[in-house]
Each structure stands twice: as C-alpha cells, then as structure tokens.
Amino acid sequence: MNSNIDYLADANADVTDLNEINEMANRLQDLEAEVVLLEKNLKDKKAELRILSEQELPEALASVGQISWDLSDGKQLIVKDFVRANIPADGTIERAKGDRQGILRQQKDDALNWLREANADSLIKNAVEIQFGKGQDSEVNELCKELEGSGLNPKRTVNVHPKTLEAFVKERLADGKYVPIDLLNVHEGKKTIIK
C-alpha cells in the first residue's frame, strides 16, 4: 500500500477523469461479453466445419462416385480417411463429476494396460510433479538426494500424446491388427481437404 497518497488531492480529481474511468469500465464489460460471444461462435463454427468436412462433403462426393473434385479456382477437393483416438487426460478426469471420474480413470488405466500388453509402452509418457510451498527453496535443492525421505508427495502423470496414439492406431488398423475401439475412443471417417 502506498503511504504517499494525497487523499485530499485525489478527492478533487477531475470529473472528466472519473468519466473516462467509467467509460473504460463499460468498455471492459462490453469486451468481456464480446469475447464470450466470439468463443461461442467459434465453437459453433468449428462444429459446422466438422460436419461439412467430415460428413456432408464426403457423402456428396460418394453419391456421385468421386473421392476428389476439381474446383473452378484450380484447387482440388480431396476426401481422405482419418483416424482419431484418445485416452482420457488427467485434467478431464479431475474435472469429471461423481461416478464419471471413476469410469474415466478406469478407462485410462485399461487403455494404458492394453498399450503395454500390445508392446506399445514406448508411447506412454511419464511425468512426476511436486508442488512446493513458499520458502521451500532448501527442499527443492535437496530433492535429488532424497525425494521420498523429504516428505513431499510427488504427483505422477502418465499420458500418451493424442497424435502419437492416432498414428499408432491408424498403423494397427491398416495392418489388420486388433485395436480396442471403445477403450481408445477411436473414430474413423472421411474428411475433405482443399489443396
């Protein structure tokens, strides 16, 4: 707190300055509302784009027996196969409510176990995080010497990068190997791109 504030001088502040502050506060509220609306519109547009790209255009081209189409501007519309897969992330699990949290945790554990059994454990990334409070510099310095003996509770995260998982799943599917579709949330489909 600044003890050099002259409250009497501040009390005589120019009314114009106060009006400017009011105007800025109103602009702040307007901008916040505008950002919320833009984020919602972006989410809606992404969903619309996904439907057009992954459903409507592939279906339209398939109905005329085509997988590509030359556009009038010289570009080409191409339908490609895609594979998506994911394992619930720790953040998603932590935000889940009630029984859903346990279901997602079990799904993640089962998916990681399946990857290990499929000799794909190299996809799994481990991280250990330890939270320190203020003034615990000495504990940080001693961490390498005695992690468990220091009384700190490490947080371990085990994840698979989504793109790495997708590439692995796509390769296994192409080779005709088993993939637990539900466990890895696998979605296959067609997607149109413009080149």
Side-chain angles (χ1 to χ4, degrees):
M1 180 179 240
N2 187 351
S3 60
N4 296 328
I5 297 175
D6 184 350
Y7 291 103
L8 291 177
D10 289 345
N12 295 323
D14 191 330
V15 173
T16 305
D17 292 340
L18 296 177
N19 285 337
E20 287 177 26
I21 291 171
N22 248 353
E23 288 174 14
M24 287 190 286
N26 288 335
R27 179 77 177 129
L28 175 65
Q29 290 178 25
D30 291 345
L31 286 171
E32 287 173 342
E34 189 176 343
V35 166
V36 167
L37 182 60
L38 286 170
E39 287 174 344
K40 183 193 179 309
N41 288 341
L42 178 62
K43 182 179 177 183
D44 292 346
K45 286 295 178 189
K46 283 182 176 182
E48 188 178 334
L49 174 66
R50 189 171 20 266
I51 290 168
L52 181 62
S53 173
E54 296 176 11
Q55 293 174 9
E56 293 174 357
L57 274 169
E59 289 170 6
L61 285 169
S63 73
V64 295
Q66 299 292 318
I67 60 169
S68 65
W69 191 262
D70 293 329
L71 302 175
S72 59
D73 64 0
K75 294 180 182 172
Q76 190 176 39
L77 185 67
I78 302 169
V79 176
K80 291 192 169 199
D81 294 329
F82 75 85
V83 173
R84 282 194 200 108
N86 68 65
I87 296 171
D90 289 337
T92 302
I93 295 169
E94 289 169 10
R95 287 188 301 274
K97 305 278 190 223
D99 292 342
R100 181 87 177 124
Q101 193 172 58
I103 292 167
L104 290 175
R105 171 61 58 204
Q106 187 62 53
Q107 181 182 358
K108 179 177 181 175
D109 291 345
D110 291 347
L112 294 173
N113 287 334
W114 181 83
L115 287 172
R116 288 180 183 106
E117 291 169 8
N119 294 320
D121 51 335
S122 64
L123 302 177
I124 301 170
K125 308 296 181 226
N126 285 281
V128 176
E129 178 183 332
I130 300 173
Q131 298 293 320
F132 291 92
K134 293 179 182 178
Q136 288 188 298
D137 291 343
S138 62
E139 284 88 348
V140 173
N141 293 333
E142 295 294 320
L143 175 63
C144 293
K145 295 178 185 173
E146 52 181 322
L147 182 60
E148 292 298 322
S150 70
L152 299 171
N153 297 317
K155 177 183 176 185
R156 181 177 180 193
T157 57
V158 182
N159 290 307
V160 177
H161 191 278
K163 293 296 181 191
T164 305
L165 180 63
E166 287 174 9
F168 170 75
V169 168
K170 187 174 185 177
E171 182 179 318
R172 283 187 68 93
L173 290 172
D175 291 344
K177 294 180 180 174
Y178 171 74
V179 173
I181 301 297
D182 291 335
L183 186 62
L184 300 180
N185 294 313
V186 176
H187 300 284
E188 292 182 88
K190 305 249 182 234
K191 181 175 184 169
T192 48
I193 59 168
I194 296 177
K195 283 190 169 188

